[in-house]
């Protein structure tokens, strides 16, 4: 029987990041030793206190549905964290989701109608484009690659790319895939443009806690941004909890109440005992986060030095755990070759809207990173 698929799914491809990591996993299952620098996932285990909190919650029978938008304890802990970041949100302006990705999906589905324009800063994480397309929106894009991936020098281009017709702008700092942390002056510029054209902004702050020697300002804390910013965060990256699937977003009450319809009709709620572990992560895990960030910073520096030894200058950022390695214009072929010949998995920049680069995640041990660079050099990829 021929199934007649909805156009919304036919408009998009599967996630490139997950597709490559699946390919790497398949090769490994066939006995190939792959240096997998593709998927953005901390190589650390979830901190023990968080695991203990989940076990305690399970023992205490926290296994049923929860209130759809999240347990009060977690929403309160999130509201307190947001207040520390300068964001003023009551618990009824927060939805706890199974992963940050679901949060983004609900926001986009609640705001973007057929034909609505959404602006992305390229390179931009793969799922923004896909979600906008699923919602039927159109994209305008600003290329940050000529500016070493910084936003401040591209503000004029951003001002040109948007108009009164722009519905939504997505800002992700620290950035996946570049690691760039946008300056406060850049965020002020975003504020001015958003206010001028009455644009709603998604501030994807999932890497906010993963920075090296700098602090990421929350966009929603700027004057004039409180009622037009939706702030998204999650537990995957800062607390090494990718598989737990826990995230959240906060924003104006009206948006939260519309999005909560999508939430309650799709996922019902995030997992009960996982939400209890989330409280522990937010309240008692600062030390583990610092340790992980220190390790990422060392790896970033080591990797950039190794590439420099091979004559490749890689622009590095002060956050997240990614860098964009300049490669051939045909980055797709380069990445396919790198995985097939050198058994090093990376993601083509074109998946993020910026061809000519390969994204590397340096959330891997120093030995594996060294091995990856050696293999790329040996096989003529550097
Ligand atoms: N935003 C960005 C920029 C990301 O890189 C990710 C990574 N998956 C997410 C959101 C969502 O993460 P998760 O669903 O694991 O919380
Ligand atoms: N965000 C991570 C990445 O970009 C995880 C994979 C995904 O969700 O796309 O690699």
């Amino acid at each position: 029987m021929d199934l007649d698929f909805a156009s919304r799914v036919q408009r998009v491809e599967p996630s490139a990041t997950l597709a490559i990591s699946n390919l790497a996993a398949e090769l490994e299952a066939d006995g190939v030793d792959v240096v997998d620098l593709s998927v953005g996932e901390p190589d650390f285990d979830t901190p023990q206190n968080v695991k203990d909190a989940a076990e305690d919650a399970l023992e205490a029978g926290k296994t049923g549905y929860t209130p759809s938008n999240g347990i009060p304890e977690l929403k309160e802990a999130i509201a307190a964290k947001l207040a520390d970041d300068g964001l003023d949100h009551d618990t009824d302006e927060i939805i706890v989701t199974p992963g940050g990705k679901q949060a983004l999906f609900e926001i986009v589905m609640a705001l973007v109608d057929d034909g609505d324009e959404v602006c992305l800063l390229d390179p931009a994480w793969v799922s923004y484009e896909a979600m906008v397309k699923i919602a039927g929106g159109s994209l305008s894009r600003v290329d940050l690659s000529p500016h070493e991936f910084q936003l401040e020098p591209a503000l004029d281009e951003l001002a040109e790319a948007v108009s009164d017709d722009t519905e939504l702008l997505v800002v992700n700092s620290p950035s996946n895939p570049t690691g760039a942390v946008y300056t406060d002056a850049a965020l002020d510029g975003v504020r001015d443009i958003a206010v001028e054209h009455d644009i709603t902004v998604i501030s994807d702050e999932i890497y906010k806690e993963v920075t090296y020697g700098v602090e990421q300002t929350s966009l929603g804390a700027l004057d004039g941004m409180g009622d037009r910013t939706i702030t998204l965060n999650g537990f995957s990256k800062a607390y090494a909890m990718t598989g737990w699937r826990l995230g959240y977003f906060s924003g104006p009450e009206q948006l939260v109440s519309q999005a909560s319809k999508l939430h309650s009709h799709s996922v019902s709620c995030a997992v009960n005992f996982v939400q209890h572990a989330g409280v522990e992560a937010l309240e008692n895990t600062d030390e583990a986060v610092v340790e992980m960030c220190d390790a990422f910073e060392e790896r970033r520096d080591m990797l950039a030095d190794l590439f420099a030894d091979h004559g490749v200058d890689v622009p590095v950022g002060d956050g997240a755990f990614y860098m964009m390695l300049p490669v051939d214009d045909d980055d797709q072929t380069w990445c396919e070759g790198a995985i097939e010949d050198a058994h090093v998995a990376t993601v083509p920049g074109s998946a993020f809207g910026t061809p000519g680069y390969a994204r590397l995640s340096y959330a891997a041990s120093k030995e594996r990173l060294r091995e990856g660079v050696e293999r790329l050099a040996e096989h003529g990829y550097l």
Side-chain angles (χ1 to χ4, degrees), residues 99-101 125 128 172 176 204 206-207 236-237 245-246 322:
K101 216 178 239 183
W125 177 48
Y128 300 141
N172 167 221
N176 175 4
D204 181 345
I206 199 150
Y207 299 98
S236 288
K237 315 294 171 168
R245 313 308 302 130
L246 192 63
Y322 306 106

Side-chain angles (χ1 to χ4, degrees), residues 58-211:
L58 269 174
E59 276 305 309
K62 306 291 183 193
T63 53
Y65 292 131
T66 73
S68 182
N69 288 358
I71 58 170
E73 303 92 300
L74 181 55
K75 290 200 292 177
E76 274 153 27
I78 291 169
K81 184 249 185 271
L82 294 172
D84 285 347
D85 296 341
L87 300 167
D88 181 17
H89 284 294
D90 292 339
T91 49
D92 59 0
E93 295 174 330
I94 293 167
I95 300 185
V96 176
T97 52
K101 216 178 239 183
Q102 174 70 17
L104 191 67
F105 201 70
E106 291 174 11
I107 302 163
V108 172
M109 291 303 142
L111 287 173
V112 179
D113 250 333
D114 260 346
D116 280 351
E117 185 190 286
V118 179
C119 183
L120 299 183
L121 306 171
D122 280 343
W125 177 48
V126 294
S127 293
Y128 300 141
E129 173 181 340
M131 289 188 197
V132 171
K133 283 187 174 168
I134 291 168
S138 66
L139 289 158
S140 73
R141 319 186 71 131
V142 178
D143 182 9
L144 304 187
S145 63
H147 307 291
E148 295 222 321
F149 304 124
Q150 273 299 334
L151 173 58
E152 196 180 332
L155 284 173
D156 287 346
E157 287 151 65
L158 175 60
E160 273 168 36
V162 298
S163 69
D164 290 352
D165 293 333
T166 308
E167 177 72 24
L168 195 61
L169 166 69
V170 184
V171 177
N172 167 221
S173 181
S175 153
N176 175 4
T178 68
V181 174
Y182 301 149
T183 60
D184 284 352
L187 300 184
D188 284 344
V190 167
R191 184 261 320 274
D192 295 345
I193 292 167
V195 169
E196 183 185 344
H197 296 289
D198 196 18
I199 299 170
T200 303
V201 182
I202 296 178
S203 183
D204 181 345
E205 302 187 359
I206 199 150
Y207 299 98
K208 181 176 163 68
E209 282 67 42
V210 186
T211 53

Side-chain angles (χ1 to χ4, degrees), residues 236-280:
S236 288
K237 315 294 171 168
Y239 305 107
M241 290 174 69
T242 46
W244 296 64
R245 313 308 302 130
L246 192 63
Y248 59 90
F249 66 97
S250 58
E253 204 271 329
Q254 278 174 310
L255 177 269
V256 166
S257 105
Q258 292 298 323
S260 72
K261 295 190 250 172
L262 299 168
H263 188 75
S264 66
H265 284 302
S266 55
V267 294
S268 299
C269 61
V271 175
N272 192 336
F273 59 89
V274 168
Q275 293 187 56
H276 287 275
V279 177
E280 175 68 16

Side-chain angles (χ1 to χ4, degrees), residues 15-19 21 37-41 101 125-127 176-177 206-207 236-237 242 245 321-322 347 352 359 361:
S15 162
T17 46
L18 297 182
S21 96
L37 310 181
S38 64
V39 79
E41 174 162 49
K101 216 178 239 183
W125 177 48
V126 294
S127 293
N176 175 4
I206 199 150
Y207 299 98
S236 288
K237 315 294 171 168
T242 46
R245 313 308 302 130
F321 31 66
Y322 306 106
V347 186
F352 303 86
R359 186 197 75 172
S361 160

